[in-house]
Amino acid sequence: MLEPTRTPCPHKPPCPPAQAPDLYRAHVLAAHPEQGWSLLCNGVIAFDDLGALLPGGAALVPARQAA
């Protein structure tokens, strides 16, 4: 899968990268609460159940479902 072209985060301090433990602290670029997801500045698609899709297609299991 191709990585999307990304420009550096314009926020000061910069948003955490998609691989950081605090990846959910990135700014919201597009919110769709009616569908249960938001696009974050670091390229992560964050779901209301705390699951996520990372840039490149990797998935994070929702925190409440993690073993």
Side-chain angles (χ1 to χ4, degrees):
M1 178 176 253
L2 295 174
E3 290 285 328
T5 303
R6 305 232 357 113
T7 57
C9 176
H11 304 110
K12 299 293 181 213
C15 291
Q19 299 78 18
D22 60 345
L23 62 96
Y24 293 106
R25 294 188 64 201
H27 288 235
V28 174
L29 296 180
H32 293 277
E34 72 284 358
Q35 296 176 355
W37 64 275
S38 296
L39 174 63
L40 305 181
C41 184
N42 55 10
V44 171
I45 298 173
F47 296 100
D48 288 351
D49 66 359
L50 299 180
L53 289 176
L54 304 179
L60 293 179
V61 176
R64 56 184 147 197
Q65 291 182 7

